[in-house]
Amino acid sequence: MVGADTEVVVIGRRELADGVLELILRGVDGELPFWRAGAHIELVLGEGLVRQYSLCGDSADSTTWRIGVLKEGPGSTFVHERVRVGDHLVARGPRNHFAFKEAPRYLFLAGGIGITPILPMVAEAEAAGAEWRLLYGGRRRSAMAFLDELAAYGERVEIRPQDEFGLLDLDSALSEATPDTLVYCCGPEPMLVAVEERCAALADGSLRTERFTPKPVVGADEAFEVDLSVSGLTLRIEPGCSILETVEKAGVNVLSSCREGTCGTCETPVLEGEPDHRDSVLTEAERADGGFMMICVSRARGLRLVLEL
């Protein structure tokens, strides 16, 4: 589950690249919750805005968090234009559905602001003495964040701005992946789809992705029933209405954020029934297990689900 709300104060603010802002956050009450590479936090920004940002600093630093914010959409525009050093914000989390796993070899693929969760992974891979390579693309060099930090890793990092090199050569990069290589990818949807297509033949679990926008929804919306084991309610989920919306209307409080299946905040235990997973968070193994579902977008494959709510 998502951790409790944490009040943080902005102690650092600087422009990392064109349209990318770095914020350094410190806990008002001292030590911040522990996190590992791949984790993100949610910032409560006011005016009904709650947005998720990957942590991209040093996970061993328990006193500060670092995030990179691309100016794109109302939430990030709020951060760029209104958040200043000294401001107090509420953060939720950290939460991690893009967890960094131990492996002898890694291939990291990042596009644009997708470099943020990859950056601490690179640091952990380096510290562990693993073999790794990073292919990092963006529209242009001036819009690509953290180039100064990545330069320290030398030739293991390939910087490929599109205006200089064209689209990333994913075929070449993935052709070198051995069976014991973990592939981590974060970036825009076309890049993720292209990587998923090319990795279809890899062993299950070899590719791990994180999305900032939801996958296209596949499947019809049929009505079904949900039994809530804790509250004792039985609810009918109508076509076009999510489980989350229905349980909220029934007075059941559920922590949620993105409402589009990308953040994992509304993850709910499934006690009976088969979920129709439509999120962009769970791995194929987690979907097959069926023990949890994101009730903001996912539905039922049958006529009934029993949820721990």
Side-chain angles (χ1 to χ4, degrees), residues 37-111:
H40 69 263
I41 59 170
E42 299 172 359
L43 287 185
V44 181
L45 301 171
E47 300 181 359
L49 295 172
V50 180
R51 293 294 184 269
Q52 299 82 42
Y53 299 105
S54 296
L55 293 169
C56 55
D58 180 0
S59 61
D61 181 358
S62 63
T63 62
T64 62
W65 284 337
R66 178 172 72 161
I67 60 173
V69 182
L70 173 66
K71 190 175 184 181
E72 184 179 58
S76 59
T77 298
F78 183 100
V79 172
H80 275 251
E81 297 182 354
R82 299 179 59 175
V83 174
R84 298 290 182 265
V85 171
D87 286 353
H88 285 232
L89 300 170
V90 172
R92 293 174 181 162
R95 187 176 187 86
N96 200 338
H97 280 284
F98 193 44
F100 183 72
K101 303 293 185 180
E102 183 177 342
R105 296 173 182 82
Y106 300 93
L107 173 61
F108 301 111
L109 304 171

Side-chain angles (χ1 to χ4, degrees), residues 94-139:
R95 187 176 187 86
N96 200 338
H97 280 284
F98 193 44
F100 183 72
K101 303 293 185 180
E102 183 177 342
R105 296 173 182 82
Y106 300 93
L107 173 61
F108 301 111
L109 304 171
I113 197 62
I115 190 62
T116 49
I118 298 295
L119 195 66
M121 293 184 181
V122 166
E124 288 204 24
E126 178 72 3
E131 293 182 21
W132 62 270
R133 175 188 175 195
L134 166 62
L135 183 61
Y136 176 22
R139 288 193 177 93

Side-chain angles (χ1 to χ4, degrees), residues 22-306:
E22 175 190 75
L23 292 184
I24 306 296
L25 310 172
R26 175 179 292 160
V28 171
D29 296 326
E31 190 168 293
L32 291 166
F34 176 75
W35 65 281
R36 291 294 305 272
H40 69 263
I41 59 170
E42 299 172 359
L43 287 185
V44 181
L45 301 171
E47 300 181 359
L49 295 172
V50 180
R51 293 294 184 269
Q52 299 82 42
Y53 299 105
S54 296
L55 293 169
C56 55
D58 180 0
S59 61
D61 181 358
S62 63
T63 62
T64 62
W65 284 337
R66 178 172 72 161
I67 60 173
V69 182
L70 173 66
K71 190 175 184 181
E72 184 179 58
S76 59
T77 298
F78 183 100
V79 172
H80 275 251
E81 297 182 354
R82 299 179 59 175
V83 174
R84 298 290 182 265
V85 171
D87 286 353
H88 285 232
L89 300 170
V90 172
R92 293 174 181 162
R95 187 176 187 86
N96 200 338
H97 280 284
F98 193 44
F100 183 72
K101 303 293 185 180
E102 183 177 342
R105 296 173 182 82
Y106 300 93
L107 173 61
F108 301 111
L109 304 171
I113 197 62
I115 190 62
T116 49
I118 298 295
L119 195 66
M121 293 184 181
V122 166
E124 288 204 24
E126 178 72 3
E131 293 182 21
W132 62 270
R133 175 188 175 195
L134 166 62
L135 183 61
Y136 176 22
R139 288 193 177 93
R140 60 190 183 280
R141 193 176 296 268
S142 63
M144 299 172 68
F146 304 113
L147 296 185
D148 53 344
E149 294 183 36
L150 291 170
Y153 295 114
E155 294 182 354
R156 281 170 294 179
V157 176
E158 295 182 56
I159 307 299
R160 293 292 184 267
Q162 186 175 342
D163 62 348
E164 299 176 29
F165 296 92
L167 296 176
L168 292 179
D169 188 353
L170 299 175
D171 290 319
S172 176
L174 290 165
S175 69
E176 299 176 10
T178 57
D180 58 356
T181 300
L182 282 186
V183 181
Y184 282 87
C185 179
C186 186
E189 185 64 16
M191 175 186 175
L192 291 169
V193 171
V195 171
E196 287 172 338
E197 291 174 349
R198 288 163 172 78
C199 290
L202 296 181
D204 289 345
S206 296
L207 172 64
R208 299 170 184 270
T209 62
E210 182 168 64
R211 282 174 158 84
F212 296 132
T213 56
K215 288 182 179 179
V217 174
V218 177
D221 279 6
E222 303 289 345
F224 59 96
E225 286 191 347
V226 170
D227 290 341
L228 308 184
S229 66
V230 177
S231 56
L233 298 174
T234 297
L235 305 175
R236 180 177 171 85
I237 313 301
E238 299 289 352
C241 190
S242 71
I243 299 174
L244 176 61
E245 291 167 336
T246 304
V247 299
E248 287 179 334
K249 289 176 183 176
V252 178
N253 185 35
V254 179
L255 191 62
S256 66
S257 180
C258 73
R259 294 179 176 262
E260 59 184 17
T262 59
C263 73
T265 304
C266 67
E267 181 180 81
T268 301
V270 179
L271 304 182
E272 293 181 35
E274 183 181 0
D276 177 8
H277 294 292
R278 303 183 180 186
D279 64 275
S280 304
V281 176
L282 296 176
T283 65
E284 289 305 316
E286 290 168 334
R287 291 180 177 217
D289 177 75
F292 294 88
M293 67 185 297
M294 307 305 157
I295 62 172
C296 63
V297 292
S298 297
R299 301 181 70 80
R301 290 196 180 276
L303 300 177
R304 178 174 173 268
L305 290 172
V306 180

